[in-house]
Each structure stands twice: as structure tokens, then as C-alpha cells.
Amino acid sequence: MATPTASVERLSADALDACADELGELLAATVAGGASLGFLAGFGREEAARWWRGRAAEVADGRLLVWVARSGGRIDGTVGCVPVLKDNGRHRGEVVKLMVGPHARGRGLARRLLATVEEYAAGAGLTLLVLDTETGSAAERLYRAAGWTETGTVPDYAADPSGKLMPSTFFHKTPSADLSA
């Protein structure tokens, strides 16, 4: 069976609010699957939808940028970018909440969402992107394969969904240099 091509779009605050329930379903399923995204096991769809709705003000004022990938009218994945608004950090952004639903994995969608943030950053004049992920995770392998550079590992940085403290690996990338390659 052919895999439908996902379209990727940046959400406005209103669009984020309109799809918060579906984003909440994606977030809750991803956490339930063991991904370390800042939440613990038992984090349900309703709580996740409220969390997304709580981000609308950040999206409205540019403190958070959110993209979603859709196919067949369904959200398959999402990624965010937090531009640094401090005067001495306006050249960088942090990639956050990259996730792909279990139903859409294995199609290169995570890499496409990551590339979307990188392309945005290069076009917006951001010269540095940073992110962190649980050491040894599938996400860590993705970032390495996508050309991100490991900055270092911090032991016991964050708890996984079960509450166990895990190391996190930090990465960085210069998006503008990558577009010319």
C-alpha cells in the first residue's frame, strides 16, 4: 500500500487551539510509548490537549513556532522551535517536541519535520539550533543521522515517563551552512 505524502504547515495560535485535541492525542500516545518529552506516565489525552492549548499565547507572540505534518486529514507529527528572545541569543533557537505518531513512523517524517525547522531557521537568520534528547533513544540516532553535532551528555538530566532519571545528549547545528550543501 502506498504511503500518503504528508503536508507540513506552521500553525497559528488559532489553528493550534483548533487542533489541540488531536495534538493532545499524539502527545499522550508518544509519552505512553516511552518517549521522554517532559511528561510522566499517566499523562492522558485531556491533560495533553490542555497543555497544547496553553501554548497558544506563546505561538501568538512568536515565543513558540509549531509545525504539524498531516496526511489524510490526520496529524501524523509535530515539531516546535523556541527562538531565543534575549538580546545576546537572537541568533539561536531550540528545537522542541519533535514527535511522530506510532501510525506514521518509518516514513522519514521525523527527518522531514526536523528539516522544516532547519529551513525556517536559515530563512529567519538563525545561525544556531540546539536540542536535547534522551541518550540512547531513537531520537538520538535520528539527530546524528541528520547531521547534528553532539555537544555533550548530562547524566540524570531528565526523568523518562516511568520517572527514572536518564542522561540527555545535547546537539547543535548551524542551519544556514547546511542549506548550501
Side-chain angles (χ1 to χ4, degrees):
M1 183 166 108
T3 302
T5 302
S7 64
V8 177
E9 66 180 284
R10 184 170 155 195
L11 296 180
S12 67
D14 289 340
L16 175 71
D17 188 60
C19 65
D21 288 335
E22 193 173 1
L23 283 166
E25 185 176 332
L26 173 65
L27 177 55
T30 305
V31 171
S36 181
L37 291 164
F39 306 98
L40 298 176
F43 182 70
R45 289 179 6 189
E46 290 178 16
E47 185 180 3
R50 280 193 303 278
W51 182 87
W52 279 109
R53 283 190 182 88
R55 309 286 71 80
E58 297 168 53
V59 170
D61 67 15
R63 290 179 290 142
L64 173 64
L65 312 171
V66 177
W67 290 265
V68 295
R70 298 178 195 264
S71 64
R74 179 179 188 179
I75 293 178
D76 292 331
T78 187
V79 67
C81 181
V82 178
V84 174
L85 301 177
K86 296 175 185 174
D87 287 343
N88 70 345
R90 293 187 187 276
H91 65 287
R92 72 180 190 269
E94 181 181 3
V95 176
V96 296
K97 304 292 185 269
L98 173 60
M99 64 188 102
V100 174
H103 66 278
R105 293 185 184 148
R107 300 185 211 164
L109 191 53
R111 189 180 288 242
R112 184 167 171 209
L113 286 163
L114 189 57
T116 297
V117 173
E118 294 171 13
E119 290 168 16
Y120 165 81
L126 298 179
T127 59
L128 178 66
L129 288 173
V130 296
L131 60 81
D132 69 272
T133 192
E134 184 178 311
T135 302
S137 67
E140 181 181 16
R141 291 185 295 280
L142 165 73
Y143 301 134
R144 288 184 194 286
W148 285 68
T149 301
E150 180 179 337
T151 305
T153 301
V154 178
D156 296 341
Y157 185 75
D160 69 7
S162 73
K164 180 181 177 191
L165 291 178
M166 300 294 291
S168 288
T169 303
F170 287 74
F171 290 89
H172 68 275
K173 192 169 192 180
T174 305
S176 57
D178 298 331
L179 291 177
S180 62

